[in-house]
């Protein structure tokens, strides 16, 4: 939590918490001209300017997907946290709205969630419209600096105008710090039909805590879970809890997502998850997962280095087999020093999570939302071929989507993958190696990495779970990022990179043994800005 300490000077805090100071730099929604700087993603959400980290307050209401986010409008590094705000009707195009929540004398507005209070249990509703309620962590930097251990508590705010303006509840905090929990944050709240109450899951250093409430204002501690289970290389942050139906069955499992920093699968930040049952009081992990998450092992939603703090949308109009999710496309190891200046960092693509089964138990697959297909501008089909060494696929645009199917050799050691290149002799590789049955991402030669020793320190890898000889690659490249959804999203890797000129050439490469390419399609994608 070192990044917090630099911002704790109270004089600075008081200045920054003055809404008029922040409002001066607040987003002007009409100003959309600035989305074409070097490295600026063209079909991912990124803030119009300055710093962003976690997605917050994800809720669907009245035809709009709300995306709030951790935001510091006065600098391109982390600082006193606000909730920035954008909305979308299709999860592809985003409209920037003014900042939703400002820090105040109680503290910064840390991560949290939002819900539609359909039954107006909170009493904040007006007329017939249910209010939107945001629940967030109040992080008090003055108490932190003064050496206390209780600087984080939970507050709520409500909106009766479709999320455009928010009023903080006068009775905050609704969940005070128990007294000595240094990390006590990131409330993710949901209505639990089984127990007929609101349930919030909080990250409390090395475990999660479940609390229950009839009205979002008075809360009661229900249970704790997670100490000694799963990955614990860092502090637990940004949890989520939701039911998910197994397709084609009556089985509904509960998914508990726990983000962790550091301690991720390839270093730094990462998103792990657990699958089991929740009875309105306690989470119980499936028995067959127990030995897989002992000894500090995690099961990861995304094995790339740049997918963190992911959580899901409340009330998204989806069947119970699918859950809508988005993450922050960066890593605390280097997020504040990546070579962008006008803005820093972006969200991942919105994804739908589904359950699938393996010999080891249930797992989550991730699928980019279908609505992204509207961005396809033109497509290029590549004929079936044998990849023997290198197969040149020619020029590529800086924003494209690739679908590709290979037939893997029966035996022997080989690796097969994509190679992106530019004129400056920089290259990025992503693919699969049979030797360890893992996917790899190699950004060691992919451009600027002087800003951090941890950025290009080696290969990043992910296990292949599918045993199918047909290997399907579905990947999105957006100027300075890649998202790989391999084997129908059963292995996912998200990585960023900073080529000094855009990658504009693509090759397929097979080493060891020739590999059959069955088909490939490259789609040029439109910019959303
Ligand atoms: C995760 C996190 C959260 C916290 C927020 C502060 O990236 O550390 O735990 O609420 O960022 O910006």
């Amino acid at each position: 939590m070192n990044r917090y300490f630099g911002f704790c000077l109270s004089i600075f805090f008081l200045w920054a918490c003055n809404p008029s100071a922040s409002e001066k730099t607040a987003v002007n929604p009409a100003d959309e001209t600035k989305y074409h700087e070097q490295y600026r993603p063209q079909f991912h959400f990124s803030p119009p300017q300055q710093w962003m980290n976690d997605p917050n307050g994800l809720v669907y209401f009245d035809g709009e997907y709300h995306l709030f986010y951790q935001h510091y409008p006065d600098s391109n590094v982390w600082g006193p946290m606000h909730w920035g705000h954008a909305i979308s009707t299709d999860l592809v195009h985003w409209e920037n709205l003014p900042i939703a929540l400002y820090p105040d004398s109680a503290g910064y507005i840390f991560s949290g969630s939002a819900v539609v209070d359909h039954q107006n249990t909170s009493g904040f509703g007006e007329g017939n419209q249910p209010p939107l309620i945001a629940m967030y962590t109040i992080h008090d930097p003055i108490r932190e600096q003064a050496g206390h251990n209780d600087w984080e508590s939970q507050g709520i705010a409500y909106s009766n105008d479709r999320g455009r303006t928010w009023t903080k509840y006068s009775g905050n905090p609704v969940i005070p710090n128990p007294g000595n929990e240094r990390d006590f944050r990131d409330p993710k709240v949901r209505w639990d039909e089984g127990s007929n109450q609101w349930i919030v899951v909080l990250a409390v250093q090395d475990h999660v805590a479940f609390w229950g409430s009839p009205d979002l204002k008075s809360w009661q501690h229900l249970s704790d879970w997670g100490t000694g289970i799963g990955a614990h290389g860092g502090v637990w942050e940004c949890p989520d809890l939701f039911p998910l139906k197994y397709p084609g069955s009556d089985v509904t499992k509960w998914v508990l997502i726990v983000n962790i920093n550091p301690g991720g699968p390839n270093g730094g930040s990462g998103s792990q998850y657990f699958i089991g049952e929740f009875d309105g009081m306690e989470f119980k992990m499936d028995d067959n997962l127990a030995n897989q998450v002992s000894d500090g092992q995690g099961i990861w939603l995304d094995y790339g280095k740049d997918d963190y703090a992911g959580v899901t949308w409340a009330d998204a109009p989806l069947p119970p087999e699918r859950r809508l999710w988005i993450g922050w496309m960066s890593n605390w190891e280097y997020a504040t020093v990546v070579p962008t200046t006008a803005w820093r960092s972006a969200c991942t693509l919105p994804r739908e999570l589904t359950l699938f089964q393996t010999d080891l138990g249930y797992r989550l697959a991730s699928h980019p939302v279908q609505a992204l297909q509207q961005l396809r501008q033109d497509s290029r089909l590549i004929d079936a071929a044998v990849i023997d060494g290198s197969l040149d696929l020619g020029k590529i645009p800086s924003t494209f989507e690739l679908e590709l199917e290979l037939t893997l050799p029966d035996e022997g050691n080989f690796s097969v993958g994509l190679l992106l290149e530019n004129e400056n002799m920089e290259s990025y590789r992503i693919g699969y190696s049979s030797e360890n049955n893992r996917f790899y991402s190699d950004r060691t030669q992919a451009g600027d990495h002087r800003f951090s020793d941890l950025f290009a320190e080696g290969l990043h890898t992910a296990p292949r779970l599918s045993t199918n000889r047909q290997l399907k690659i579905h990947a999105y490249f957006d100027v300075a990022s890649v998202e790989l959804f391999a084997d129908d999203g059963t292995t996912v890797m998200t990585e960023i990179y900073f080529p000094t000129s855009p990658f504009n050439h693509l090759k397929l490469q097979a080493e060891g043994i020739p590999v059959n390419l069955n088909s490939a399609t490259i789609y040029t994608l439109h910019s959303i800005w």
Side-chain angles (χ1 to χ4, degrees), residues 67 132 156 247 259 267 286 298 309 392 477:
L67 168 63
L132 295 182
I156 57 175
N259 288 277
D286 282 355
D392 195 334
F477 295 86

Side-chain angles (χ1 to χ4, degrees), residues 3-4 53-54 70 78 81 110-111 185-186 237-238 308 332:
R3 67 184 184 277
Y4 301 153
N53 55 293
D54 317 353
Q70 289 286 279
W78 191 91
M81 285 288 105
F110 267 23
S111 285
R185 61 175 174 273
D186 306 340
E237 298 185 317
C238 300
Y308 189 56
W332 280 117

